Every structure is written in C-alpha cells, then in structure tokens.
Amino acid sequence: MQIEMHSDVLCPWSYIAKRRLEAASALAGTPIKIVWRSFELSPEGALISGDSAADMIRQWRGDAAEARLAQITGFATVEGIKLDLENARPVNSFNAHRLVHLGAASGKADAVMERLLRAYHSEAENIADRGVLDRLGREVGLAPGVVAQLLAGDDFAAAVRADKRLAVERGISGVPVMVLAGTAPTSAVKPVEELAKLLRQAAASEPSA
C-alpha cells in the first residue's frame, strides 16, 4: 500500500510518526511504501546552525515548554528513538529534501529519510551542510558522484517545490500528515493501533486485481 507522508527532517513528530507507521504496518499485516513529500517548517532557515531545537521550543512555548519537551521526548523513547533536542539545531532543510528525492529515484527514499532523521535528531548533525549530506547519502548507498552532482546543482529542487504546492492544495499547514489510498489528509501522529485500523480499512477498500 502506498502512503504519501508530508514531513520535515526537522520535525521530531515526523520521526515518531515514521516509527509508529512501521509498527502499524506490522500489526495490520499490511506492507506499505511511503512516498515522502517535502515540507519545510522553516523555509527561511539558515545553513549555519543557531539556537537548539529545545531553546526554540522554550521561546515559543514559554512556561509550557518543559512539559512539551518531556512529552515529545517521552513519546520518542517509547518508539525506540533517542532525541537530543538540546543539541539538535534547526537549519534550512531544502537540500535534505532534495537528497530524499534523489534517494527515491533509486528506491532508497526511506533509507535516506531514516538516516537524515537520526543524524539531525539523535546525532546533532547539521543537515544543511553539504559535506554532511554528501556523507549521509553515501552511507545509505547512494553513488558518490550522483550525490556530489545533486549538491553542486539544482536537481530535484522543482520536486521539492512541487511537494510544497501539493501541501497547500491539500490544506496542509503542519506535519506529519499522511494520505493513504486516496483518503483525505490526516495526522500521522496517532496511536499504533489506530494507524493499523486505518491501514486495514484502506487495504479493504482497494480494488482487487
């Protein structure tokens, strides 16, 4: 089953949703293929890192920030994810999204997204740095020359922008949001059991061959 997932590497909820969806697929016995749709939470973000993700949440949330941080970290821990929000530093994610599209061209989109999510959220890597992106791409098996070509030019830039336009057309203003089997967009941050139920329903509605 194909699922479109609007997400951003910078979003911890996108990382959590990915894990929950994988668990839901196993629970429902429904194999899935995720089509990653680019969404920039901070399109004006810098290439050089500044404040940490945790500090930015503190600026946005004020007195409620620590509870919010504990909630995000707690949900991630349940899914086997180690978040390091005190050291992860939001940057421009445009080139990271281009790398995911490059991965999709060779059937490695999921591996690229997984590596980017771990690099940013757990290893405090600067996923706007071209040297970092080059290394991460090669780590998941992308051809070194192809990654270098991507980063030196504008390959897949149009694909990233097309995904952004699609999100607007679908009324999506935040992520992670998924679209499966032609249904309306819905939040991907749901309990595993609820996601599994949605997968079963979508599978049952698919026309038989």
PDB file of all heavy atoms in Angstrom, residues 1 61 78 82 110 122 150 162 188 193:
ATOM      1  N   MET A   1       0.835  -1.195   0.000  1.00  0.00           N
ATOM      2  CA  MET A   1       0.000   0.000   0.000  1.00  0.00           C
ATOM      3  C   MET A   1       0.875   1.252   0.000  1.00  0.00           C
ATOM      4  O   MET A   1       1.825   1.334   0.767  1.00  0.00           O
ATOM      5  CB  MET A   1      -0.906   0.015   1.235  1.00  0.00           C
ATOM      6  CG  MET A   1      -1.750   1.283   1.353  1.00  0.00           C
ATOM      7  SD  MET A   1      -2.667   1.317   2.888  1.00  0.00           S
ATOM      8  CE  MET A   1      -3.615  -0.180   2.685  1.00  0.00           C
ATOM      9  N   ARG A  61       6.974  28.333  23.547  1.00  0.00           N
ATOM     10  CA  ARG A  61       6.002  27.787  24.494  1.00  0.00           C
ATOM     11  C   ARG A  61       6.027  28.430  25.872  1.00  0.00           C
ATOM     12  O   ARG A  61       5.115  28.215  26.672  1.00  0.00           O
ATOM     13  CB  ARG A  61       6.238  26.277  24.642  1.00  0.00           C
ATOM     14  CG  ARG A  61       5.978  25.476  23.376  1.00  0.00           C
ATOM     15  CD  ARG A  61       4.505  25.200  23.214  1.00  0.00           C
ATOM     16  NE  ARG A  61       4.214  24.418  22.022  1.00  0.00           N
ATOM     17  CZ  ARG A  61       3.050  23.860  21.768  1.00  0.00           C
ATOM     18  NH1 ARG A  61       2.062  23.978  22.645  1.00  0.00           N
ATOM     19  NH2 ARG A  61       2.836  23.185  20.654  1.00  0.00           N
ATOM     20  N   VAL A  78       9.423   5.805  23.756  1.00  0.00           N
ATOM     21  CA  VAL A  78       8.543   4.638  23.603  1.00  0.00           C
ATOM     22  C   VAL A  78       8.756   3.982  22.243  1.00  0.00           C
ATOM     23  O   VAL A  78       8.693   2.749  22.120  1.00  0.00           O
ATOM     24  CB  VAL A  78       7.069   5.051  23.773  1.00  0.00           C
ATOM     25  CG1 VAL A  78       6.135   3.916  23.366  1.00  0.00           C
ATOM     26  CG2 VAL A  78       6.796   5.467  25.210  1.00  0.00           C
ATOM     27  N   LYS A  82      16.027   8.020  20.337  1.00  0.00           N
ATOM     28  CA  LYS A  82      16.723   8.869  21.298  1.00  0.00           C
ATOM     29  C   LYS A  82      16.839  10.267  20.706  1.00  0.00           C
ATOM     30  O   LYS A  82      17.622  10.512  19.791  1.00  0.00           O
ATOM     31  CB  LYS A  82      18.110   8.314  21.612  1.00  0.00           C
ATOM     32  CG  LYS A  82      18.872   9.159  22.627  1.00  0.00           C
ATOM     33  CD  LYS A  82      20.259   8.588  22.896  1.00  0.00           C
ATOM     34  CE  LYS A  82      21.022   9.468  23.890  1.00  0.00           C
ATOM     35  NZ  LYS A  82      22.394   8.953  24.125  1.00  0.00           N
ATOM     36  N   ASP A 110      13.305   5.843   1.697  1.00  0.00           N
ATOM     37  CA  ASP A 110      13.072   5.557   3.106  1.00  0.00           C
ATOM     38  C   ASP A 110      14.390   5.491   3.878  1.00  0.00           C
ATOM     39  O   ASP A 110      14.489   5.992   5.005  1.00  0.00           O
ATOM     40  CB  ASP A 110      12.315   4.244   3.263  1.00  0.00           C
ATOM     41  CG  ASP A 110      11.616   4.146   4.613  1.00  0.00           C
ATOM     42  OD1 ASP A 110      10.649   4.881   4.831  1.00  0.00           O
ATOM     43  OD2 ASP A 110      12.075   3.348   5.446  1.00  0.00           O
ATOM     44  N   SER A 122      19.204  12.730  16.644  1.00  0.00           N
ATOM     45  CA  SER A 122      19.942  11.939  17.631  1.00  0.00           C
ATOM     46  C   SER A 122      21.438  12.227  17.659  1.00  0.00           C
ATOM     47  O   SER A 122      22.095  11.978  18.669  1.00  0.00           O
ATOM     48  CB  SER A 122      19.738  10.440  17.354  1.00  0.00           C
ATOM     49  OG  SER A 122      18.369  10.104  17.374  1.00  0.00           O
ATOM     50  N   LEU A 150      24.185  16.316  -7.277  1.00  0.00           N
ATOM     51  CA  LEU A 150      22.981  16.908  -6.688  1.00  0.00           C
ATOM     52  C   LEU A 150      23.322  18.168  -5.919  1.00  0.00           C
ATOM     53  O   LEU A 150      22.705  19.223  -6.106  1.00  0.00           O
ATOM     54  CB  LEU A 150      22.317  15.897  -5.754  1.00  0.00           C
ATOM     55  CG  LEU A 150      21.144  16.438  -4.924  1.00  0.00           C
ATOM     56  CD1 LEU A 150      19.848  16.331  -5.711  1.00  0.00           C
ATOM     57  CD2 LEU A 150      21.012  15.713  -3.591  1.00  0.00           C
ATOM     58  N   ALA A 162       7.294  21.359  -5.830  1.00  0.00           N
ATOM     59  CA  ALA A 162       6.011  20.766  -6.214  1.00  0.00           C
ATOM     60  C   ALA A 162       5.331  20.130  -5.009  1.00  0.00           C
ATOM     61  O   ALA A 162       4.098  20.223  -4.849  1.00  0.00           O
ATOM     62  CB  ALA A 162       6.223  19.725  -7.312  1.00  0.00           C
ATOM     63  N   ALA A 188      -0.484  11.993  11.065  1.00  0.00           N
ATOM     64  CA  ALA A 188       0.199  10.699  11.166  1.00  0.00           C
ATOM     65  C   ALA A 188       0.633  10.407  12.589  1.00  0.00           C
ATOM     66  O   ALA A 188       1.178   9.336  12.866  1.00  0.00           O
ATOM     67  CB  ALA A 188       1.408  10.677  10.236  1.00  0.00           C
ATOM     68  N   GLU A 193      -2.254   1.372  17.190  1.00  0.00           N
ATOM     69  CA  GLU A 193      -3.476   0.602  16.942  1.00  0.00           C
ATOM     70  C   GLU A 193      -4.427   1.346  16.017  1.00  0.00           C
ATOM     71  O   GLU A 193      -5.083   0.740  15.157  1.00  0.00           O
ATOM     72  CB  GLU A 193      -4.179   0.289  18.270  1.00  0.00           C
ATOM     73  CG  GLU A 193      -3.413  -0.632  19.205  1.00  0.00           C
ATOM     74  CD  GLU A 193      -2.278   0.086  19.933  1.00  0.00           C
ATOM     75  OE1 GLU A 193      -2.189   1.347  19.834  1.00  0.00           O
ATOM     76  OE2 GLU A 193      -1.484  -0.602  20.600  1.00  0.00           O
TER      77      GLU A 193
END
